[in-house]
Amino acid sequence: MRTRIFRGSFASVTALFSAMLLWAVLSLIFMPRWDEVLQSALSDEMLYSIRLSLLTSLISVAIVMVLAVCIGYVLARFSFPGHHVLRTLVDLPMAFPELVLGLCLLLLFGHGVLSQWLKGLGINIVFSQAAIVIAQVFTAAPYAIRVSYATFRGINPRYELVARSLGYCEFSAFWHVTLPMAKGGLFAAMVISFARCMGCFGTVLILAGGTRMFTETLPITLYLNISYGNLAMAMTSGIILIAISLGAILVFELLNREVML
């Protein structure tokens, strides 16, 4: 009897939350008029925000994955003073609201020594399209690093030692042995990074601004148009974000399955 109550309680919570989540997603998909959605999707503003979101997200994911592999490997394999401090520091942005992270980046790139040095080189980061990439990288990197770290921790370092005993240098052992064994986890990190970059809002808004058809990514399009009361454009942005994220997950799952075979 107690077992049934226990299982029933957990199953009820699971079913209730899943049903409400599905209901919320379906509301976004079926509530708008599809002629308005199609018209909004083909507007110049929407096409611009889609192109900008995809371009900046792909660039950001490439940077994030380099950071994730390097930092995740360092945390998983190297022992040094301050190891736990570094792990905490890397994870810290996950605990920040995006607006706070955006404010920190605004202060870093808009004021102080680094800002003055960049301006001396003729580089102005704040309220530029480059700021979108920076905001996305700092938002997505902690998640990818966490997955990468867990992936490398799950690979026995003896494989690398055996490879090195057979004549491989440390980099060759990493490249030919560890990295192929970590491909599943790294694909997962890539999916998470892409989803975080596409959905990055608060950090982009603070650092890059919400300038229409300049720093206007899809989340910014949603925000601007819901502020104007243009619900058709706002809902279309949400639908496109869901479609792109779902498509990315499906593509990466297929690629991951092929790689794992």
Side-chain angles (χ1 to χ4, degrees):
M1 184 64 181
R2 290 181 178 178
T3 301
R4 290 181 180 179
I5 294 174
F6 171 75
R7 291 185 176 184
S9 301
F10 276 62
S12 298
V13 171
T14 302
L16 178 62
F17 178 77
S18 301
M20 293 186 68
L21 180 60
L22 180 61
W23 191 356
V25 174
L26 292 178
S27 297
L28 176 61
I29 295 175
F30 292 110
M31 185 174 292
R33 292 175 50 188
W34 282 96
D35 56 336
E36 293 181 347
V37 170
L38 182 60
Q39 183 179 357
S40 299
L42 296 177
S43 66
D44 292 338
E45 180 181 0
M46 189 64 68
L47 292 174
Y48 179 88
S49 65
I50 292 172
R51 287 194 299 268
L52 183 62
S53 294
L54 289 174
L55 177 62
T56 54
S57 294
L58 290 173
I59 295 172
S60 297
V61 167
I63 298 172
V64 165
M65 291 310 299
V66 172
L67 295 173
V69 169
C70 294
I71 299 175
Y73 187 80
V74 166
L75 291 174
R77 289 288 188 266
F78 300 168
S79 297
F80 51 88
H83 184 278
H84 295 292
V85 175
L86 178 59
R87 278 190 59 191
T88 302
L89 180 63
V90 170
D91 289 342
L92 196 58
M94 290 192 292
F96 285 175
E98 283 194 18
L99 292 174
V100 175
L101 179 59
L103 178 60
C104 294
L105 293 175
L106 180 64
L107 295 175
L108 175 64
F109 290 100
H111 303 277
V113 177
L114 180 60
S115 171
Q116 296 300 322
W117 180 71
L118 290 173
K119 288 180 180 178
L121 297 175
I123 301 173
N124 188 17
I125 297 295
V126 177
F127 303 137
S128 67
Q129 292 181 341
I132 300 174
V133 174
I134 293 173
Q136 291 174 343
V137 167
F138 276 87
T139 301
Y143 298 90
I145 292 170
R146 172 62 70 91
V147 175
S148 176
Y149 166 72
T151 300
F152 289 128
R153 284 278 294 179
I155 299 173
N156 196 321
R158 290 185 177 181
Y159 291 111
E160 297 176 41
L161 295 176
V162 171
R164 295 186 66 183
S165 70
L166 295 175
Y168 282 96
C169 66
E170 189 170 4
F171 174 76
S172 297
F174 166 77
W175 184 262
H176 293 287
V177 177
T178 307
L179 203 57
M181 295 180 69
K183 57 192 173 186
L186 296 180
F187 269 115
M190 196 179 299
V191 173
I192 294 171
S193 300
F194 184 78
R196 293 296 299 140
C197 290
M198 286 295 300
C200 185
F201 168 68
T203 319
V204 171
L205 182 65
I206 297 297
L207 186 63
T211 306
R212 185 178 182 273
M213 295 190 71
F214 179 63
T215 58
E216 185 180 0
T217 58
L218 278 169
I220 299 295
T221 299
L222 192 157
Y223 167 74
L224 291 177
N225 282 279
I226 207 168
S227 300
Y228 303 151
N230 191 345
L231 290 180
M233 284 285 287
M235 288 189 290
T236 302
S237 302
I239 292 171
I240 293 174
L241 279 169
I242 291 176
I244 291 176
S245 298
L246 180 60
I249 291 174
L250 292 176
V251 168
F252 282 121
E253 283 296 324
L254 290 174
L255 290 174
N256 189 32
R257 187 178 303 173
E258 290 179 2
V259 170
M260 294 298 291
L261 292 177

